[in-house]
Amino acid sequence: DLSRRVQAAGRDELAMLAATFNEMLESIETAYRLQQRFVSDASHELRAPLTAILGNLDLLRRRPDLPPEEQAQALEEARREAERLSRLVADLLALARADAGVPLVRKAVDVDAVVLDAFQEARRLAKGQQLVLDPLEPVRIQGDADRIKQLLLILLDNAIKYTPAGGRIVLGLQDAGGDAVLTVADTGVGIPAADLPHVFERFYRADPARSRDPGGTGLGLPIARWIVEQHGGSIAIDSAPGQGTTVTVRLPGTGAGAVQGAGAATAA
Ligand code: ADP
């Protein structure tokens, strides 16, 4: 809305003030547009499972004569969609906290202990994939252990979702001059090159037909990126369709790199 811009010509303080004001207005407008889009995307995503739940409940109410196996199927579908709804709400809350700028709890974290913890949890979630921990070097950084575990579980959950049974998933932690370098490599379906630059966008899912099935929300990687940024780190994804995906996260140690919020997120 250009009519709201302040006009002040010249090089004096008033002109500088006007320029600053206009810049601020622009960034507020951009943030507002993004927020509006997020709310509309979120409503859309929430509506889909709700519609499925209501549809199945209505069916059960209208047709008490349905054969038991069809009743069971309708109930199972309603339950599955309710689970999806609950995942979506949890992810949306995590992002809302991120948007609100809730700061991390920064303490000394033994990253290797967190990695081991996440690895054991992911083992229970695996569906016929081989999970390997290699290497596991001791690294201590300043950070938030719960968030680092959440980050690892997002990446491991993706590796499990997009790797067929029989595939291999390798989780690694290396000490790179005091920084923690985390890797999650899988032999799964990979990400098409055209989708790669977008996977950190909220609600983005490569190839809906394939990625909607495993119950993804499209919010995992945006949350992962936020956690990495809060640690002043970086995240990069390498992928070859049909061969697999490797995600590399670098979290700075207490050395020079540990600048709050100075993270770069790239998709290589
Ligand atoms: P989702 O909940 O759909 O997994 P994410 O934000 O975690 O959402 O990931 C976004 C998209 O990136 C996924 O829908 C999927 O298409 C792609 N993706 C993420 N991780 C992998 C992986 N390890 N292998 C293949 N595709 C992946």
Side-chain angles (χ1 to χ4, degrees):
D1 182 3
L2 286 172
S3 63
R4 279 150 69 187
R5 298 285 181 273
V6 174
Q7 303 287 338
R11 300 174 142 270
D12 58 5
E13 281 170 343
L14 191 61
M16 275 162 61
L17 192 64
T20 308
F21 177 82
N22 290 337
E23 270 167 35
M24 279 168 53
L25 202 56
E26 237 157 71
S27 48
I28 290 168
E29 280 169 1
T30 306
Y32 181 67
R33 266 198 306 279
L34 283 175
Q35 195 61 26
Q36 264 183 329
R37 170 148 160 236
F38 180 57
V39 169
S40 106
D41 286 349
S43 317
H44 179 84
E45 294 291 329
L46 291 169
R47 197 171 291 140
L50 264 180
T51 305
I53 293 167
L54 289 174
N56 280 295
L57 290 180
D58 274 346
L59 175 71
L60 287 167
R61 201 185 47 183
R62 273 187 293 108
R63 301 277 314 274
D65 56 311
L66 272 185
E69 60 274 24
E70 282 181 44
Q71 286 187 14
Q73 199 185 330
L75 271 176
E76 172 54 25
E77 202 175 311
R79 198 195 55 85
R80 214 178 36 236
E81 294 295 330
E83 261 176 17
R84 179 177 173 73
L85 201 56
S86 135
R87 264 199 311 277
L88 265 167
V89 170
D91 284 355
L92 286 170
L93 281 175
L95 279 174
R97 271 199 300 274
D99 289 342
V102 177
L104 287 188
V105 187
R106 282 174 158 269
K107 281 193 242 167
V109 180
D110 289 317
V111 186
D112 40 308
V114 181
V115 166
L116 194 59
D117 200 14
F119 177 73
Q120 273 153 1
E121 206 160 312
R123 262 207 165 147
R124 289 194 285 276
L125 302 173
K127 296 181 179 76
Q129 302 91 349
Q130 184 197 4
L131 245 77
V132 181
L133 187 53
D134 179 48
L136 180 65
E137 297 178 0
V139 193
R140 175 175 286 187
I141 66 166
Q142 290 294 316
D144 184 330
D146 289 342
R147 293 288 152 268
I148 296 172
K149 184 171 168 196
Q150 184 184 11
L151 158 76
L152 286 168
L153 285 175
I154 288 169
L155 301 181
L156 288 164
D157 181 55
N158 277 346
I160 291 167
K161 271 192 298 197
Y162 304 111
T163 303
R168 193 176 146 91
I169 297 164
V170 185
L171 170 64
L173 168 64
Q174 278 168 290
D175 177 344
D179 292 357
V181 175
L182 298 153
T183 42
V184 178
D186 67 56
T187 58
V189 296
I191 304 170
D195 293 309
L196 207 44
H198 302 290
V199 292
F200 290 107
E201 291 167 17
R202 294 176 180 195
F203 299 114
Y204 192 87
R205 274 164 289 180
D207 186 356
R210 127 173 113 74
S211 46
R212 225 163 266 259
D213 256 356
T217 60
L219 295 173
L221 287 179
I223 294 171
R225 179 167 75 169
W226 172 72
I227 294 169
V228 170
E229 280 175 352
Q230 285 295 299
H231 283 86
S234 63
I235 179 167
I237 303 185
D238 259 306
S239 191
Q243 289 179 33
T245 302
T246 299
V247 184
T248 307
V249 171
R250 193 180 185 108
L251 302 178
T254 36
V259 184
Q260 169 100 22
T266 52

